[in-house]
Amino acid sequence: MCGIIAYVGHQESYPILIRGLKRLEYRGYDSAGIALLDGGLKVYKKAGRVSELENAIANKNLRSHIGIGHTRWATHGAPSDVNAHPHVAASGKFAVVHNGIIENYRMLKKYLLNKGYFFESDTDTEVLAHFVEDVQQCNQCTLEEAVRLAMAKVVGAYALVVLSEDLPNTLIAARKGSPMVVGIGRDEFFIASDATPIVAYTDQVVFVNDHEVVFIQDDRLFMTNSENRPLIPAVQQLDITLETIEKGDFEHFMLKEIFEQPNAIRDCMRGRLSTDSQKLVLGGISDYMDQLTKAHKITIVACGTSWHVGLIAEYLVEEFCKIPVEVEYASEFRYRKPIIGAGDLVWAISQSGETADTLAAMTLAKKQGATILGICNVVESSIARMAHAGIYTHAGPEIGVASTKAFTAQLTAIVMMALAVARQRGTITTFMFNELLQHLTDVPETIEVVLQQYDQVKHMAQAYKDMSNFLFLGRGYNFPVALEGALKLKELSYIHAEGYPAAEMKHGPIALIDEAMPVVFIATQDRSYDKIIANIEEVKARKGKIIAIVTRGDKTATQLADHVIEVPPIHEALMPMIAVVPLQLLAYHMAVIRGCDVDRPRNLAKSVTVE
């Protein structure tokens, strides 16, 4: 949530900042702002998209070789010019941009009000700016030291960058709980929330850890920890390219990422799966395979789309590994006194690797002695670093706010983990192991076949564009797919949608069925097929509109449904990776037809780095 970009060097900073903010807009887009140094401190900010800020300051003198920028996802205070970042200290001498939530900001604000400070905004970030200045004045210390001392008294999460007119050619940054990366160029430096605005300029980066302070001055980078002890920056090379974060010929990032799924899955399997030798090599968790094999229980923590992946993982692990699995909302896990102890296994699933609730759940589980395995997409993310071990999905950058390729790539990783553990435990036959391996390698081509129905799904979406409610129903492995389909539709098109196990329809939701209620059934051929056909009959008897995802060649469901999307046959344990694709396309087309912003749905941001 929220995006930060900062630059100091020999280039003009404004073009770098504005391009960076546009690349970071998927993290927040209700307001944006920049601060530049050119003799004095100049701050420009505007409610709305980055383009509105750009238009508003087009005729300003924006010359500067140093600056900070921010695109906001509102937490404290409504989107407005005043609440937009950067926020300036009371003296007007320095500006702050901030990502995260300061949980004790009310206490700090009361303290500052009593000392005579005045507040223009409703944000916790303005409190932060004034507090840093107050600490500097009280301690008669440098601004760098004031940042370090102030952060020691702050409760919550933050990534912040400070720009001061008293310190030309200097950037000060700090991080706790919110991601931050420093890019190193030739006689220039960049600071950002993630690598997307940096990759165009450098592939040399330093990932900032919690409780670290960054001080960039006169072409030099210094880093210290919370005790002010010097650190040696660990410079790494980025593994993403500019091409991967561009839309290319696609109208939207989401559409590009839907069509990238076959290659994302191939990349996730590459070097790990061999059908020729019937082998799975998962180096990331190899040191923990014995513990996985002997596990008495696995707890999965995740949020949103990743939580739906966790539900499918429960089916997979319990069926093939014979290990009990509990799937927890990470946001609830830490508040309900979970029974987790030494030797327990916790799997944490996250696309960004920065999900605040999932990190908090991991922290709790780790304190109680559990072993944490992470499944995430971003190398050197917080979850990857906190976990004892794990698997990267290698799906490539996902810019669209609504996850698509993250879902199928995470499932690919989960299937490989489940099969490796089952093989080691001896709970799966050689025939079934080999069959599932082969079916898994077939998934990318199978999805490519489904994507050929792009125009068919678009035509179908036109028929339902004015509906106000949808119901998504599935059984077994396809029940979480129903949840994911409903989530995508409401995220993108703002249509109310609910997902249910099909059998639960009779326990309440059937009361909603009438001719104005479309019901999407995932009705592929599996062990529950006859049961779900009965559910379709029940909806049809009540005049509900039926959309069915069916296995190619299906006759029964096809005759009952108003609209049908066929998918090729595959083992039912892998069908969620296939059946979800037409639901992604349906949500995409519905949103486009209804005039919604597909890549930036209202009120949402990509990386949920606040609780």
Side-chain angles (χ1 to χ4, degrees):
M1 324 284 265
C2 301
I4 289 172
I5 178 68
Y7 173 79
V8 58
H10 54 85
Q11 300 186 63
E12 286 290 329
S13 62
Y14 172 71
I16 293 171
L17 296 178
I18 210 73
R19 282 195 295 266
L21 290 179
K22 288 178 180 179
R23 293 203 187 282
L24 287 167
E25 206 165 12
Y26 71 101
R27 299 182 67 97
Y29 35 88
D30 59 46
S31 60
I34 60 169
L36 304 172
L37 273 185
D38 183 24
L41 183 66
K42 299 177 180 178
V43 176
Y44 307 100
K45 47 190 189 174
K46 186 74 175 172
R49 300 293 169 83
V50 174
S51 58
E52 294 178 56
L53 169 69
E54 188 177 22
N55 293 334
I57 62 177
N59 297 320
K60 302 287 186 181
N61 177 9
L62 302 171
R63 292 181 57 83
S64 175
H65 294 284
I66 183 170
I68 58 177
H70 187 272
T71 182
R72 182 173 184 251
W73 186 86
T75 55
H76 298 80
S80 68
D81 292 356
V82 171
N83 286 333
H85 299 208
H87 288 281
V88 179
S91 65
K93 290 288 189 179
F94 67 84
V96 176
V97 290
H98 162 237
N99 178 17
I101 286 182
I102 307 304
E103 294 177 11
N104 63 336
Y105 88 98
R106 289 185 179 87
M107 181 189 74
L108 295 175
K109 187 172 185 177
K110 182 178 180 181
Y111 160 79
L112 292 166
L113 285 168
N114 289 336
K115 295 191 72 172
Y117 283 86
F118 174 76
F119 292 86
E120 294 183 353
S121 78
D122 301 314
T123 68
D124 54 344
T125 304
E126 188 184 8
V127 174
L128 199 59
H130 292 337
F131 186 57
V132 169
E133 184 167 73
D134 184 72
V135 169
Q136 184 182 22
Q137 292 173 354
C138 290
N139 291 275
Q140 292 297 296
C141 60
T142 65
L143 185 56
E144 177 193 6
E145 180 70 1
V147 169
R148 187 178 65 82
L149 292 173
M151 294 309 100
K153 297 181 182 296
V154 163
V155 177
Y158 56 80
L160 63 93
V161 185
V162 181
L163 177 67
S164 172
E165 66 179 35
D166 290 337
L167 296 170
N169 302 317
T170 301
L171 292 172
I172 302 169
R175 177 238 161 118
K176 177 195 169 189
S178 290
M180 177 177 284
V181 59
V182 177
I184 303 173
R186 182 172 295 180
D187 300 325
E188 60 184 352
F189 291 91
F190 309 80
I191 301 175
S193 299
D194 61 46
T196 53
I198 289 177
V199 68
Y201 307 100
T202 182
D203 62 356
Q204 300 297 300
V205 299
V206 175
F207 292 97
V208 183
N209 294 309
D210 278 354
H211 308 291
E212 292 182 349
V213 177
V214 176
F215 186 73
I216 297 170
Q217 186 176 54
D218 298 328
D219 302 329
R220 289 181 293 172
L221 168 65
F222 305 92
M223 294 180 67
T224 61
N225 63 13
S226 57
E227 283 90 36
N228 203 27
R229 292 175 183 159
L231 301 170
I232 299 175
V235 181
Q236 301 184 42
Q237 186 168 347
L238 285 175
D239 64 349
I240 63 173
T241 64
L242 189 59
E243 182 183 9
T244 61
I245 60 172
E246 298 283 359
K247 282 190 291 190
D249 295 330
F250 290 92
E251 186 177 355
H252 299 97
F253 279 110
M254 181 188 176
L255 185 60
K256 175 183 180 238
E257 289 153 10
I258 289 173
F259 276 82
E260 284 178 339
Q261 287 177 110
N263 283 335
I265 292 168
R266 291 185 182 105
D267 289 341
C268 187
M269 293 188 291
R270 184 171 290 114
R272 293 167 170 167
L273 185 154
S274 171
T275 53
D276 293 336
S277 56
Q278 286 80 49
K279 283 186 178 179
L280 271 174
V281 180
L282 303 179
I285 60 170
S286 58
D287 291 344
Y288 292 86
M289 188 55 73
D290 186 60
Q291 189 174 345
L292 273 164
T293 302
K294 296 176 181 177
H296 298 293
K297 181 186 76 170
I298 294 171
T299 301
I300 296 174
V301 292
C303 299
T305 287
S306 296
W307 186 76
H308 298 156
V309 171
L311 293 177
I312 299 169
E314 179 180 16
Y315 284 80
L316 283 161
V317 173
E318 291 194 344
E319 177 170 358
F320 296 111
C321 305
K322 311 303 180 189
I323 301 172
V325 176
E326 292 182 3
V327 185
E328 300 269 4
Y329 281 114
S331 55
E332 290 294 319
F333 181 78
R334 67 184 296 210
Y335 296 111
R336 67 164 194 82
K337 301 187 185 303
I339 301 173
I340 296 287
D344 286 348
L345 274 173
V346 173
W347 292 4
I349 309 175
S350 166
Q351 188 283 135
S352 68
E354 302 292 348
T355 309
D357 289 315
T358 305
L359 282 164
M362 292 171 68
T363 300
L364 174 63
K366 208 170 186 180
K367 283 181 180 177
Q368 294 181 198
T371 297
I372 315 293
L373 301 183
I375 298 97
C376 68
N377 189 36
V378 181
V379 175
E380 286 299 318
S381 61
S382 297
I383 285 175
R385 285 183 280 177
M386 183 182 289
H388 293 97
I391 292 181
Y392 288 117
T393 56
H394 298 302
E398 189 178 63
I399 306 299
V401 168
S403 282
T404 51
K405 65 178 180 176
F407 180 88
T408 47
Q410 287 171 354
L411 276 180
T412 303
I414 291 289
V415 170
M416 290 190 294
M417 289 175 70
L419 290 179
V421 172
R423 181 76 160 186
Q424 189 92 350
R425 284 172 62 88
T427 52
I428 189 171
T429 65
T430 299
F431 174 82
M432 180 58 70
F433 178 82
N434 292 338
E435 182 182 27
L436 283 169
L437 278 191
Q438 184 57 60
H439 278 244
L440 187 56
T441 60
D442 292 340
V443 165
E445 291 183 5
T446 306
I447 290 177
E448 287 171 346
V449 172
V450 177
L451 289 172
Q452 293 173 11
Q453 300 182 72
Y454 173 88
D455 289 330
Q456 178 186 340
V457 178
K458 181 178 181 180
H459 177 74
M460 184 180 72
Q462 189 69 41
Y464 294 97
K465 64 181 176 62
D466 296 321
M467 295 297 181
S468 301
N469 299 280
F470 269 74
L471 198 59
F472 288 73
L473 301 176
R475 284 176 175 261
Y477 284 100
N478 286 327
F479 156 52
V481 179
L483 295 177
E484 178 64 9
L487 177 62
K488 286 292 155 286
L489 188 65
K490 54 191 167 190
E491 279 182 315
L492 295 170
S493 65
Y494 318 140
I495 295 172
H496 175 253
E498 297 296 335
Y500 272 89
E504 287 296 305
M505 176 183 63
K506 295 186 291 293
H507 296 276
I510 198 168
L512 300 171
I513 303 296
D514 60 20
E515 61 274 8
M517 172 65 82
V519 183
V520 180
F521 281 94
I522 300 97
T524 52
Q525 291 283 349
D526 59 25
R527 69 192 83 172
S528 301
Y529 179 74
D530 290 339
K531 298 292 186 182
I532 208 158
I533 290 298
N535 297 138
I536 293 175
E537 294 270 19
E538 291 162 351
V539 170
K540 192 172 183 66
R542 289 158 179 82
K543 300 182 180 179
K545 300 294 183 182
I546 298 167
I547 301 168
I549 312 298
V550 303
T551 306
R552 187 170 55 205
D554 178 281
K555 295 293 191 289
T556 307
T558 299
Q559 291 175 353
L560 293 169
D562 297 278
H563 288 90
V564 168
I565 304 169
E566 288 191 339
V567 298
I570 201 164
H571 192 284
E572 66 178 285
L574 305 182
M575 183 55 77
M577 303 169 73
I578 310 303
V580 75
V581 176
L583 302 184
Q584 294 169 347
L585 288 172
L586 175 63
Y588 170 79
H589 285 304
M590 291 285 282
V592 171
I593 291 168
R594 289 166 63 91
C596 303
D597 191 333
V598 173
D599 287 332
R600 302 177 186 89
R602 69 186 183 202
N603 303 331
L604 296 177
K606 184 64 178 175
S607 299
V608 185
T609 57
V610 296
E611 288 190 68

